[in-house]
Amino acid sequence: MNQRPENGKPNTSELTTWQFLRKSIRKADIILFLILLLLGIALAAVSLLGRSRGAEAVIRVNGEVYGNYPLSVNRTITIRRGSQRNVVRIRNGKVSMASASCRNQICVHHKPISETNQSIVCLPNRVSVEIRAAGKEGKIDVYS
Amino acid sequence: MSIRKSGGARGASSARNAKSTNGARSAGNTRSASSARRTKRLTTASMFAALALIFSYIEFLIPISIGIPGIKLGFANLVIIIALYEMDFRYALAINLVRIGLSGLLFSGVFAMLYSLAGGLTSLLVMALLRKTGRFSMIGVSMAAGVSHNFGQLVVAALVIENAKMFIYFPVLVFSGIAAGIGIGILAAVLDRKVPKQLFR
């Protein structure tokens, strides 16, 4: 750091990294941080409060409903679309993606879901699984 | 990359030669000097693009999974934010587009490129706007970039899957965007201080 030639701002180059960082944080940064934090907390509160035990799993492929399956029945659903394949498993009232032909496997690693407002999405294959309370479609559109 | 580097050094030294030897022909001199400077900036930009691509590759190789799907630190933005501050919005945009295009073709697939593109362009736009206000430090700009990157990706995801329920993920993505953005912002601020400024002139 001492080897640096001064470039117009001689006193900043003498600060240690820690002092430099503390000095460089501005008021607007902190305000923005608080706003974003509040936004996150508010959104989290909305999605957590609106959650309850679901009754059925809705599988969508490419945005269109592929099928509704009650959570009370254990079963395995295989969705094939061309060379793409997704296997959805319902067991003990919880839904998980047992396997998928996608490359990133994010959906397979997702933890099992059982409450409304939860969903598992396989973006590469355009398959989504969401949990719904029985027959109440109107309750879903909180976020849209 | 080493080839590009030596090319850049050669360009710079030939410009210096031109300046020292034929000072009499001033018109030709300034033209060659400005073209040498352009070459230098182009070289720096392409080095930055290569660096950003490497960061993308590292993140593709070692995904940081902490139980929540699809969360990354966004190391590539380190390069982009320094390019935005030290070079220009246009350079940052070009570097970002090259990175996204190449990493899409090489690693993540063309389909995932769409998400990178959405996130990358949204965050770059937000960064450029916040930087223009002059009220934010690099850390604040990077924090906003992290959140807006996630927002842009989520919008595209919701459009692709045609399902507004994707926004369930948004609270998690806001927090992860803040955290990753601050981390990258701190790194970028520290690095930006150390990077020799002659690189960008």
Side-chain angles (χ1 to χ4, degrees):
Chain A
M1 207 172 69
N2 295 331
Q3 299 158 345
R4 267 176 63 85
E6 66 256 66
N7 48 347
K9 290 181 274 179
N11 52 348
T12 52
S13 64
E14 281 162 24
L15 296 172
T16 64
T17 302
W18 179 243
Q19 287 170 326
F20 163 74
L21 281 176
R22 284 195 59 177
K23 260 206 158 142
S24 65
I25 293 171
R26 313 270 280 276
K27 208 185 200 175
D29 293 336
I30 293 163
I31 294 169
L32 184 67
F33 174 70
L34 291 177
I35 289 172
L36 289 176
L37 205 64
L38 278 177
L39 179 76
I41 291 169
L43 286 170
V46 167
S47 81
L48 284 176
L49 290 176
R51 190 175 277 185
S52 64
R53 182 132 186 85
E56 61 180 5
V58 182
I59 299 177
R60 283 174 203 267
V61 179
N62 218 353
E64 287 159 22
V65 174
Y66 180 87
N68 300 344
Y69 305 91
L71 295 184
S72 49
V73 183
N74 289 352
R75 67 195 298 176
T76 307
I77 303 129
T78 306
I79 302 139
R80 281 179 202 282
R81 206 164 68 95
S83 61
Q84 298 170 348
R85 179 185 46 78
N86 286 65
V87 179
V88 178
R89 183 189 292 148
I90 302 176
R91 180 171 292 171
N92 302 330
K94 292 193 171 183
V95 187
S96 59
M97 190 75 77
S99 74
S101 62
C102 62
R103 212 191 282 198
N104 58 23
Q105 298 287 305
I106 284 170
C107 52
V108 178
H109 293 136
H110 199 288
K111 65 178 197 293
I113 56 174
S114 61
E115 293 173 325
T116 58
N117 283 347
Q118 287 185 307
S119 65
I120 298 176
V121 179
C122 180
L123 279 177
N125 291 0
R126 302 191 186 193
V127 171
S128 74
V129 186
E130 61 188 72
I131 305 291
R132 250 192 350 206
K136 281 189 215 156
E137 288 212 30
K139 234 188 136 187
I140 289 162
D141 283 329
V142 182
Y143 297 94
S144 54
Chain B
M1 221 166 99
S2 64
I3 298 164
R4 284 179 187 165
K5 218 177 206 169
S6 69
R10 191 146 30 94
S13 68
S14 76
R16 223 174 296 130
N17 285 345
K19 203 178 259 177
S20 58
T21 49
N22 19 322
R25 286 188 291 161
S26 64
N29 184 11
T30 48
R31 201 197 302 151
S32 83
S34 87
S35 93
R37 203 161 58 224
R38 273 224 314 265
T39 312
K40 196 180 170 189
R41 295 197 82 179
L42 187 63
T43 314
T44 309
S46 45
M47 267 168 56
F48 267 48
L51 196 58
L53 187 63
I54 290 168
F55 278 133
S56 294
Y57 184 51
I58 289 171
E59 276 191 334
F60 174 74
L61 279 182
I62 316 160
I64 304 161
S65 64
I66 40 168
I68 308 146
I71 287 179
K72 303 190 295 184
L73 208 48
F75 273 118
N77 200 42
L78 208 59
V79 179
I80 307 299
I81 196 171
I82 290 179
L84 177 69
Y85 268 76
E86 298 298 341
M87 300 174 86
D88 199 342
F89 174 72
R90 290 171 305 162
Y91 279 95
L93 182 66
I95 291 167
N96 214 356
L97 288 178
V98 166
R99 170 188 74 87
I100 291 165
L102 288 178
S103 79
L105 291 174
L106 289 171
F107 323 128
S108 57
V110 180
F111 192 69
M113 204 161 93
L114 198 67
Y115 297 108
S116 313
L117 203 62
L121 292 183
T122 321
S123 67
L124 187 58
L125 212 64
V126 167
M127 284 198 291
L129 288 176
L130 285 191
R131 198 201 153 204
K132 256 204 168 132
T133 64
R135 290 170 182 275
F136 296 92
S137 73
M138 227 180 210
I139 301 169
V141 169
S142 170
M143 180 174 67
V147 176
S148 57
H149 177 275
N150 289 348
F151 181 70
Q153 282 201 327
L154 202 60
V155 168
V156 169
L159 287 177
V160 166
I161 217 97
E162 290 176 31
N163 185 352
K165 288 206 83 177
M166 281 303 292
F167 282 91
I168 290 160
Y169 282 128
F170 197 49
V172 174
L173 290 178
V174 168
F175 292 126
S176 71
I178 292 173
I182 289 175
I184 294 295
I186 289 172
L187 274 176
V190 172
L191 280 177
D192 181 55
R193 206 164 68 116
K194 309 263 179 185
V195 169
K197 296 289 177 284
Q198 299 96 293
L199 201 63
F200 306 107
R201 274 187 207 127

